Amino acid sequence: MAKFRLNRRAVLRGAGGIAIGLPWLEVMGTPKANAQAQTTGPKRFLAVYTPGGTIVNNGSGVNKWRPTGTETAPVLSPILQPLQGTMDKKKLLVVDGLDMYSKLGEQHQAGIIAWLTGTAQLNAPANGGLPGTTSFASGPSIDQVLATKISSGQKRFPSLQMAVRWGTGKAQGLLSPISCANFEDNLKASPIAPWVDPVQIFKDLFGKPVGAGTDLRRKSILDTALEEYNALLPKLGTTDRATLQQHVDKLRELELSLSAIAQGSPSCKTPTQVDTTGYNPTAGKCDARCDPNAANVGGNVDPKTDEMIPQVGKYLMDLMVMGLACDLSAVGTFQWTDTEAKHTFPWLASKFPPIDNDMGQVHHHHFFQHDGGFRPLHLEIIYNWYSEMHEYLLQAMDGIVMGADGHTLLDETLVFFGSEISQPDNHDWHDMPFLLAGGPGVIRGGRWVHYTDKTDKKNSHNNLLVAILNLFGDDRKTFGTAEFNTGALTNLV
């Protein structure tokens, strides 16, 4: 009788066809020579987008974003100062000096496309022009690649995409290269629209008791898989049986943890629903009466919706955080509007220097960037406010305890903050304003790392994308446009 053998890639199928991997067993033969021990790393990925870059040069040669001090003792700039709490906890890493070489195409559109894909814009329009329906990315975004690896088929949602005050300008509320950051992990790199309606997002994520549906479904997956494990046991030797039993015990622990979540564990609970009456998530969306091909140069004015941006933004961040904490998904993207950002800032108006005696309250973000001339004083106030929102998000994540040892959701998550340009007045792509956040097992935080070696594009932001993928166990050496890759960025962990 032939000796029973198992393929090293063998999996067991649970309910719904979900694959559950086996540990290495002697019955599989000699272990692979290049097998490596598992290491600690992030379990989740969250990308956060803010429009218009930052102030790399205020017009007098002063970089208002870059920290001072040393790598391990950075002094945060006024723009980044609100993030001091996370920096003090050594869970923030300022990544400085990287160039976005793959930003090729229309000045804003190409930037948001390249940010997570590392690819050029296809069929790019002239600068400032309306894109066509085929003017998107030429490759997938890293969030979707990671979703394939750590979330799809394992969580209720492969990924979560949320946006505040989205579709403000020429995109007219429609999916467009002007407003799209996420592209599917397939050959077409199909664009993905974010969720924008806070009422609907709450219903989709928490419209039924936390733990209902997805957790019970996972439990049934485990039960079905365990039946296959039990059928396999008689075919194995003593050592393999012990190994397999350890694996079964781990599955049982997972099952118990899922049951705890279903009953409402401290780390997972339904968020408090916020009344967002008056906020129009589709403000500016083109309807049957408008021309979707017309350039909207003034933005879609909606004062009440603009006024509610801080409230709705915090609410959506809370929903995103709890969606990750409740294991509804392992991947998320949060957009603070689109690349045009043609909305106003009523809550900041009293801080703005006056423009024609109006205190700036009637002007949108793009006006301050360059439509109304480069206005660094107004922009510094806006970018500082975005840093306040970043700190709100990080503190919310750091306040959710995920384990008996006291580690938090932030400790398990890699958060990547970015933009489509570095300098708004000239749409520059040098010295991109990137931040990473996470716990000690994810990044080596509490630092400001300034990359100065530009030879052979060693400071390419594509290398950062490769490094992020590597942190999740994806060992690829390039990502996006090959010519802009020289290897994974170093000095992150």
Side-chain angles (χ1 to χ4, degrees):
M1 180 180 294
K3 187 176 181 181
F4 176 69
R5 288 286 184 188
L6 270 181
N7 190 288
R8 295 190 187 104
R9 297 183 177 86
V11 297
L12 298 179
R13 296 288 173 181
I18 301 299
I20 298 180
L22 288 166
W24 181 84
L25 304 170
E26 289 182 350
V27 74
M28 294 177 178
T30 306
K32 295 174 70 173
N34 62 350
Q36 296 180 353
Q38 291 184 345
T39 59
T40 60
K43 296 180 180 179
R44 300 171 187 83
F45 176 73
L46 176 60
V48 181
Y49 167 81
T50 54
T54 190
I55 304 175
V56 178
N57 184 338
N58 69 348
S60 301
V62 179
N63 189 317
K64 303 292 285 186
W65 177 84
R66 179 174 293 149
T68 56
T70 65
E71 175 181 326
T72 56
V75 178
L76 295 183
S77 64
I79 287 176
L80 295 179
Q81 184 57 43
L83 289 155
Q84 189 64 55
T86 301
M87 179 63 79
D88 289 341
K89 293 180 181 178
K90 300 192 181 303
K91 297 183 181 183
L92 182 71
L93 179 64
V94 179
V95 181
D96 185 21
L98 299 186
D99 294 346
M100 190 185 282
Y101 295 97
S102 51
K103 177 184 172 291
L104 300 172
E106 197 280 333
Q107 46 204 8
H108 288 281
Q109 300 167 31
I112 194 171
I113 287 170
W115 172 45
L116 296 178
T117 72
T119 68
Q121 181 183 18
L122 294 171
N123 305 310
N127 282 339
L130 286 167
T133 57
T134 59
S135 300
F136 287 99
S138 50
S141 50
I142 58 169
D143 59 293
Q144 294 305 300
V145 173
L146 290 172
T148 299
K149 182 178 181 63
I150 64 175
S151 198
S152 298
Q154 305 171 53
K155 317 293 181 184
R156 186 194 297 178
F157 301 96
S159 60
L160 304 175
Q161 293 81 220
M162 301 182 192
V164 186
R165 197 57 175 97
W166 188 74
T168 60
K170 291 190 290 288
Q172 297 183 324
L174 303 175
L175 182 61
S176 165
I178 295 170
S179 55
C180 185
N182 308 107
F183 300 88
E184 291 184 16
D185 184 19
N186 58 28
L187 293 177
K188 295 182 178 180
S190 306
I192 303 171
W195 298 350
V196 298
D197 185 347
V199 175
Q200 190 60 49
I201 292 172
F202 182 89
K203 289 180 179 178
D204 289 343
L205 296 183
F206 304 102
K208 51 188 173 182
V210 173
T214 184
D215 293 322
L216 297 180
R217 172 175 169 271
R218 286 192 208 154
K219 185 175 179 181
S220 68
I221 290 170
L222 294 177
D223 288 342
T224 304
L226 288 174
E227 292 177 6
E228 293 198 32
Y229 275 97
N230 291 333
L232 182 62
L233 280 173
K235 302 177 182 179
L236 303 178
T238 302
T239 302
D240 282 349
R241 287 189 183 190
T243 301
L244 194 59
Q245 187 58 53
Q246 290 179 352
H247 204 52
V248 169
D249 291 341
K250 291 294 183 182
L251 287 174
R252 286 299 186 193
E253 290 178 13
L254 174 60
E255 183 180 45
L256 290 174
S257 68
L258 291 174
S259 298
I261 289 176
Q263 296 169 10
S265 70
S267 63
C268 174
K269 57 186 177 181
T270 301
T272 301
Q273 194 165 8
V274 173
D275 182 4
T276 58
T277 302
Y279 177 80
N280 181 6
T282 59
K285 186 172 183 178
C286 187
D287 58 25
R289 297 168 297 175
C290 69
D291 180 3
N293 296 314
N296 184 339
V297 297
N300 298 286
V301 178
D302 190 328
K304 180 60 177 177
T305 295
D306 288 355
E307 181 182 318
M308 296 181 67
I309 288 173
Q311 174 188 343
V312 172
K314 287 183 177 181
Y315 181 41
L316 291 188
M317 284 190 286
D318 290 341
L319 295 181
M320 175 68 78
V321 169
M322 198 51 65
L324 296 174
C326 291
D327 214 23
L328 301 182
S329 183
V331 175
T333 304
F334 191 92
Q335 287 184 241
W336 281 102
T337 192
D338 51 83
T339 61
E340 290 195 285
K342 288 183 175 176
H343 63 78
T344 59
F345 298 84
W347 66 96
L348 296 178
S350 63
K351 298 181 180 181
F352 287 150
I355 298 176
D356 300 328
N357 299 316
D358 66 9
M359 297 300 290
Q361 67 262 33
V362 299
H363 298 298
H364 53 67
H365 192 175
H366 223 89
F367 177 91
F368 298 134
Q369 292 181 43
H370 52 75
D371 283 1
F374 179 48
R375 299 182 180 272
L377 296 178
H378 296 79
L379 291 172
E380 184 173 340
I381 293 169
I382 292 170
Y383 297 141
N384 176 271
W385 179 78
Y386 277 129
S387 290
E388 290 180 11
M389 295 301 99
H390 294 346
E391 183 71 355
Y392 177 90
L393 171 68
L394 295 176
Q395 291 303 316
M397 296 179 72
D398 211 29
I400 297 179
V401 177
M402 299 296 290
D405 61 354
H407 79 271
T408 69
L409 178 66
L410 181 58
D411 291 333
E412 294 184 349
T413 308
L414 179 64
V415 187
F416 176 31
F417 298 92
S419 189
E420 87 280 11
I421 54 178
S422 62
Q423 180 79 7
D425 58 326
N426 59 11
H427 306 93
D428 199 10
W429 45 267
H430 297 88
D431 295 326
M432 293 297 296
F434 294 143
L435 303 171
L436 293 176
V442 175
I443 58 168
R444 187 155 50 94
R447 297 184 300 138
W448 159 46
V449 180
H450 182 51
Y451 295 88
T452 58
D453 188 354
K454 297 179 182 289
T455 59
D456 299 323
K457 299 182 175 63
K458 290 180 182 177
N459 71 324
S460 171
H461 112 283
N462 285 58
N463 293 339
L464 172 59
L465 301 183
V466 173
I468 289 174
L469 291 170
N470 290 173
L471 288 174
F472 284 88
D474 186 319
D475 60 1
R476 72 185 69 199
K477 301 296 188 296
T478 66
F479 185 76
T481 304
E483 66 180 288
F484 303 134
N485 287 263
T486 60
L489 193 70
T490 60
N491 202 20
L492 299 181
V493 296

